[in-house]
Amino acid sequence: MKRKVLLMGQSGCGKTSMRSLIFSSYRAADTRRLGSTLDVEHSHVRFLGNLVLNLWDCGGQQSYMDSYLDKQRSQVFSTVGVLIYVFDLVAAAEGGEEGQTEWERDLRYYKDCVSALYQYSPDAQVFCLLHKMDLIDATRRAGVYSSRVKELRRKSREVAQAAGGKGEGFRVNCFATSIWDESLYRAWSRIVQTQIPALGVLERHLQLLADTCSASEVVVFERTTFLVIAKALGSSCKESSSSPQRLTGFHYDEEEEGMEGFRDTQRSSLTSNSSGFFNPSDSHFSFTSSTTTTKPSAQSTTLDPERFEKVSELIKNFKLSCQKLPAKTAQCEFQAVELRTPTFSAYIDSLTSNTYIMILVTDPSIHLASVKLNVQLARDHFE
Ligand code: GTP
């Protein structure tokens, strides 16, 4: 299954940098050495075994952009699954009058690209990454983000109306991103999740595995990119977003605009009431053995909504560090991670040939040995 992904935006906005970070072994600092992309750089990324992302990194120099929209129009915009348009927010937000001109030029190109997409690939998904957020003054991020998102959505509506459509045009999903933190992993995880068939089925099975392990949370990462593929909460672990507390960093929700876009810190009530072992022959994952355990009283924990993307970033960097070890020790490739703290335990191990799994346990009476055994028993089923 092949999906064409267009990566577009003006020269220097950071397209190749993000691609290199996510799909190749680059660190953020390495991207300073990247040169300008000439025309289109094609790459095929095998994802989860049979999903192939056909990435088109479209060089953003003006002459190339004009050519994509004119001579190469049908070639570039046909059969597109996803358009990722990257905006360099720095010039626009910090560059005064010149910056405003730059932003308006960017908006015109964006509108033209969306218009071409509407013509050739009306079923495509559109994602806008408002990039280099790290360079925007922290006090202005929310305001800058909110006003830009409104403009982008307006442009999308204008395209639909100009084409005689009645609807809103493409649903534009926006993310604030930076190569210097986990926000990039969050955006790309969400993007690839939209391309995974039967994600709901996978999540249901993960939920059963979470319950079998008496885990609070279970997360599956893609093996090479460590992007979050799917996750499930243990059923005894109820999340509610009733907390009025807001995050102070730049965490934005692609569904919302402006200050509403800041996601509320979620509170989780963590309780556990069973333990057992995964039975691969039982499609309902019912327990083959179950012991009654003494439960800790329900506790409220404040969870960072980007905690898994932080893990993605950490593990990716850890893997890169492993690769830099001297030749003799380099044999010791990353295989599994076991983490114990006074409040929780985490276990990361390979699940299938294309994925890793992370299981989080907060119940002190659950032993990681049983979690490991369950992961081992679940492997064939998930493969
Ligand atoms: P073309 O190939 O000309 O279309 O440019 P591009 O969009 O591929 O830009 P590229 O990835 O080459 O990045 C240009 C510069 O931006 C590099 O020096 C990167 O290090 C820098 N850069 C990319 N992303 C970020 C970011 O999130 N924050 C900061 N501060 N710099 C970034």
Side-chain angles (χ1 to χ4, degrees), residues 9-18 28 31-32 34-37 57-61 131-135 177-180:
Q10 297 217 52
S11 183
C13 67
K15 302 178 293 298
T16 311
S17 303
M18 56 176 73
T31 64
R32 295 195 182 109
L34 289 168
S36 245
T37 306
D57 180 353
C58 305
Q61 290 175 46
H131 196 50
K132 301 194 185 178
M133 264 287 170
D134 57 293
L135 294 178
T177 52
S178 163
I179 54 169
W180 292 99

Side-chain angles (χ1 to χ4, degrees), residues 2-6 77-83 117 121 123-127 194-195:
K2 226 175 184 180
R3 287 275 198 283
K4 178 170 166 184
V5 179
L6 286 186
F77 292 98
S78 296
T79 63
V80 176
V82 181
L83 165 67
L117 198 66
S121 302
D123 297 326
Q125 308 226 27
V126 179
F127 292 89
T194 63
Q195 303 304 302

Side-chain angles (χ1 to χ4, degrees), residues 184-204:
L184 192 67
Y185 283 89
R186 176 161 185 262
W188 276 86
S189 290
R190 291 294 183 90
I191 293 169
V192 296
Q193 280 166 22
T194 63
Q195 303 304 302
I196 299 171
L199 186 63
V201 177
L202 174 60
E203 280 172 345
R204 274 202 304 282

Side-chain angles (χ1 to χ4, degrees), residues 7-123:
L7 193 49
M8 302 189 91
Q10 297 217 52
S11 183
C13 67
K15 302 178 293 298
T16 311
S17 303
M18 56 176 73
R19 174 169 69 91
S20 309
L21 233 83
I22 300 282
F23 297 104
S24 311
S25 303
Y26 272 63
R27 289 169 187 273
D30 299 337
T31 64
R32 295 195 182 109
R33 298 200 304 265
L34 289 168
S36 245
T37 306
L38 305 178
D39 202 12
V40 181
E41 234 171 69
H42 299 269
S43 51
H44 288 84
V45 184
R46 186 165 284 281
F47 207 80
L48 288 178
N50 57 359
L51 175 63
V52 176
L53 299 179
N54 179 12
L55 276 178
W56 288 43
D57 180 353
C58 305
Q61 290 175 46
Q62 208 169 326
S63 58
Y64 295 137
M65 291 294 277
D66 292 337
S67 168
Y68 308 143
L69 290 162
D70 186 16
K71 275 186 268 173
Q72 302 181 66
R73 192 178 176 90
S74 67
Q75 187 196 346
V76 171
F77 292 98
S78 296
T79 63
V80 176
V82 181
L83 165 67
I84 303 170
Y85 202 100
V86 185
F87 293 88
D88 179 344
L89 273 198
V90 186
E94 314 282 1
E97 216 170 281
E98 214 177 293
Q100 185 57 26
T101 316
E102 184 79 0
W103 167 254
E104 279 162 15
R105 194 160 63 99
D106 220 357
L107 265 189
R108 276 197 301 279
Y109 273 120
Y110 167 71
K111 191 178 166 189
D112 290 343
C113 288
V114 171
S115 182
L117 198 66
Y118 204 73
Q119 183 183 1
Y120 290 100
S121 302
D123 297 326

